[in-house]
Amino acid sequence: MLAEDIRNSGIDVADLNQLKCDLNRLQPVDVGDYITQLPTQQRAIAFRLLNKNQATDVFEYLPPEVQEELINSLHDLQVVQIVETMSPDDRAELFDELPAKVVKRLLQELSPEQRQATATILGYPEGTAGRVMTTEYVRLRQGLTVGAALSKMRLQDRDKESIYYAYVTDDNRKLVSVVSLRQLLFTFPDVLIGDIASDRVVKVRTETPQEEVAHLMQRYDLIALPVVDREERLVGIITIDDVVDILQEEATEDIQKLAGVGDGDEAALSPPLVTIKKRLPWLLGIMFLYIGASSAIAPFQSTIAMVPVLAVIMPLFSNTGGTVGIQALTVTIRGLGVGEVTPKDTLKILRKELMAGMGTALTLGLTMICLSLIWAPPQERWVSLVAGCVMATNTLVAVTLGTLLPMGLKRLKLDPALMSGPLVTTMLDAIGFMIFLTLISTALHIFQLKS
Amino acid sequence: MLAEDIRNSGIDVADLNQLKCDLNRLQPVDVGDYITQLPTQQRAIAFRLLNKNQATDVFEYLPPEVQEELINSLHDLQVVQIVETMSPDDRAELFDELPAKVVKRLLQELSPEQRQATATILGYPEGTAGRVMTTEYVRLRQGLTVGAALSKMRLQDRDKESIYYAYVTDDNRKLVSVVSLRQLLFTFPDVLIGDIASDRVVKVRTETPQEEVAHLMQRYDLIALPVVDREERLVGIITIDDVVDILQEEATEDIQKLAGVGDGDEAALSPPLVTIKKRLPWLLGIMFLYIGASSAIAPFQSTIAMVPVLAVIMPLFSNTGGTVGIQALTVTIRGLGVGEVTPKDTLKILRKELMAGMGTALTLGLTMICLSLIWAPPQERWVSLVAGCVMATNTLVAVTLGTLLPMGLKRLKLDPALMSGPLVTTMLDAIGFMIFLTLISTALHIFQLKS
């Protein structure tokens, strides 16, 4: 079948031996990238050139759609072999993406042990520690000696994903302490595990959110973190490579949501339809919300006809005020995102923002006055003064909203990044225009009464 | 001296034993946080309760200003002991922050070996692999057996920061291959290292930028990465815990720079003066740049006086166009930041953005027409049509600028995140207002000629 496929695909057979040699020598992730960029009909051929270990490793790095395609075009036996040797967390991720029918068939063909491991992981909700953990870890019983522990690991733990920490449990599988492979290696073989293991174990529950897992591992510089169930029984571990990916994803989400990209997970090379789906709803939402801001201006059309310099000043005013708000919003959201601050710090941050905001308000207000004098004809110079005062006020409103809105969402256990930048600028425009135009109209009215 | 300090500080001596016990049992990073939040005069007291190992570990987690304070208030002997046992990369980071005089004194008191290690690291420019690496790694010579390698590690590598990979070098210290501790442990003692070590070594040069280091380690799921000099000689390794911090910092920088926060490293709890210093220059810069956009409006004041509904429509127009630009900008900058795309993909991204942009342009243009009909009096309804067309055009300009500007900066080897959101909205406003008002004025002119 391979030979026939190769004839049909037009690949030069003489090069195949060289290719096979290369593909088995390269890093799995690089081979994964190579296979992904091949035309569809050549992917399965290239994949079948891999030897057994390399095939499993490469498979884990392929994007879900290519994985599914390969599952459909490879021999069943080979598919089962690969899926059986995948690590349980990667397998769970794969099953998440595949059609239910395929998953059911594959589950039936797995060994009972691996089937159980996958079912356990898939039983936890997405985004929790239970879902990203692997069930392959090194467990030692209390009372073993260092030498016996090392022998046990040599015999039984050869294929475990991470062997750099071993977790010590009691007779009920309760997690008691942790010992590093380094400690085992540097201690005499007849010392008891209990004498060197540390009971300062940083651990999480299966239901702990994955961001919290990531922050804990970062804080304590861990390369693996044990996961326990409600009865404190060890059920899995989370490894640092998964956490690095989680941290990247979370940062991408924060940054994109702030910009008004739905879900915050658009890739630069997403297809156009995905791009439209993620961005357009926000844009339309913001346009409709902006009816509020525009309606704040509409009643003042006669004022604007009388003082047309307002149309020159208002956009400057709105652009600057919006930027002030987004700055405060971004610093607050990122502070929450990296775990620097919590809603408890709201008042502390607000105080700091307002103190800094006063300096900013003064400077921006004065600049506003100077700049608007450029465009105002002599009889409309008084407008500059009003613009400066409103600019200063709006600055203080902007930093307040930029701080309080995300903190409020976080306190309500919602995602603070839902408060996107465009939402804040829209609110600020509505408030700012309203104040500004009301003041100008009132002033005009008073002038008219006087004259 | 400790006793006297305690009397002066008002701490209850009876509690001290309990405190000492707790502080030596807790995780170093937690003790670091505890000491940092103490009043200044109590910090040194608490720190002196730590035993030798814990003291070094805790010291590495303290913020620079507290480290400096402790160096000034502890006995010289204790300071030297701590600094001597710190890992070379943490020590280099500390020396970076301390006054030159203090560094010089401390360097003199270090052992020649540690002095050399620190000098090496400090010799590389900030932000490069050489500066974040540690010089403590496990090096094995080719030709050793597995058993001999493990014995060598037990004897000589007890204090190395990371022992989970051992690097095999030739007689000239050139990096040849890598072997994991897992492999050593799972292989018979009389096998030669050369037979199990892998020559697929992912490595970086001392001058490689730290972001690239982080991306490589993430891509290949490594927990340590070797650093070589120009002659391919092994000089250090970078460990995953440092890389996690680098990735977080880079993400924070991207997100904050996009929002117009200078340097992109403001903390939510930075003092107000720092906040002003980081944000105000951008705000003022943007206000002055905005003179361009406002000047695009100024000549049309008479037009606006004639068609005041323009003042209602223009802010809606500017807010929406700005959001479109920021969405494209953010997705592109993040794509560059996580290494998903490079400037080579510019055309691919632009094509996708324009394709999605056409759908968006059509929808937003139509929405614009409908919304502006709300405010336009009957004789000014034709303005809505112009507004819709300009909105659509501006959408396409926005996605183009949002893609090309950061890609251009990246191609010029500049930081793409310098192209902040407010900068893009300012440009878009200038372009949009100019087109819009020119069209309206021309139309007005034609109507007047006709009537």
Side-chain angles (χ1 to χ4, degrees), chain A residues 45-64:
Chain A
I45 303 174
F47 192 81
R48 265 181 264 148
L49 295 175
L50 304 176
N51 60 38
K52 222 168 103 184
N53 283 338
Q54 181 80 338
T56 312
D57 290 346
V58 168
F59 193 81
E60 295 186 347
Y61 283 108
L62 293 171

Side-chain angles (χ1 to χ4, degrees), chain A residues 430-450:
Chain A
I431 301 173
F433 291 154
M434 186 94 75
I435 300 178
F436 188 38
L437 291 170
T438 310
L439 285 179
I440 296 281
S441 304
T442 316
L444 274 180
H445 195 65
I446 294 172
F447 284 158
Q448 279 169 342
L449 286 183
K450 272 194 185 158

Side-chain angles (χ1 to χ4, degrees), chain B residues 88-97 103 107 115-126 128 130-133 135:
Chain B
D89 52 336
D90 288 315
R91 193 191 304 129
E93 230 183 295
L94 168 68
F95 282 9
D96 242 3
E97 303 282 344
V103 172
L107 267 176
R115 184 161 54 219
Q116 177 56 38
T118 311
T120 305
I121 294 173
L122 284 174
Y124 296 106
E126 259 188 79
T128 64
R131 191 59 164 269
V132 288
M133 73 186 185
T135 51

Side-chain angles (χ1 to χ4, degrees), chain A residues 86-107:
Chain A
M86 282 176 90
S87 68
D89 52 336
D90 288 316
R91 193 190 305 129
E93 231 182 295
L94 168 68
F95 282 9
D96 242 3
E97 304 281 346
L98 291 179
K101 216 179 58 185
V102 182
V103 171
K104 210 173 152 191
R105 180 167 58 90
L106 286 175
L107 267 176

Side-chain angles (χ1 to χ4, degrees), chain A residues 317 321-322 324-326 328 350 353-354 357-358 361 389-405 424 427-432 435:
Chain A
F317 173 80
V324 174
I326 289 182
L350 189 61
E353 286 288 346
L354 283 175
M358 295 218 248
C389 295
V390 180
M391 180 78 252
T393 318
N394 211 33
T395 301
L396 295 177
V397 175
V399 296
T400 309
L401 285 185
T403 310
L404 292 186
L405 292 176
V424 170
M427 285 188 211
L428 285 172
D429 278 2
I431 301 173
I435 300 178

Side-chain angles (χ1 to χ4, degrees), chain A residues 213-249:
Chain A
V213 169
H215 290 155
L216 278 175
M217 290 188 72
Q218 185 180 14
R219 178 174 170 83
Y220 294 107
D221 288 339
L222 300 172
I223 55 177
L225 179 71
V227 182
V228 296
D229 65 11
R230 254 159 241 214
E231 280 80 40
E232 295 282 310
R233 283 178 311 217
L234 183 61
V235 290
I237 62 167
I238 296 170
T239 51
I240 185 73
D241 51 321
D242 296 322
V243 162
V244 170
D245 297 337
I246 292 171
L247 285 173
Q248 283 284 67
E249 275 165 35

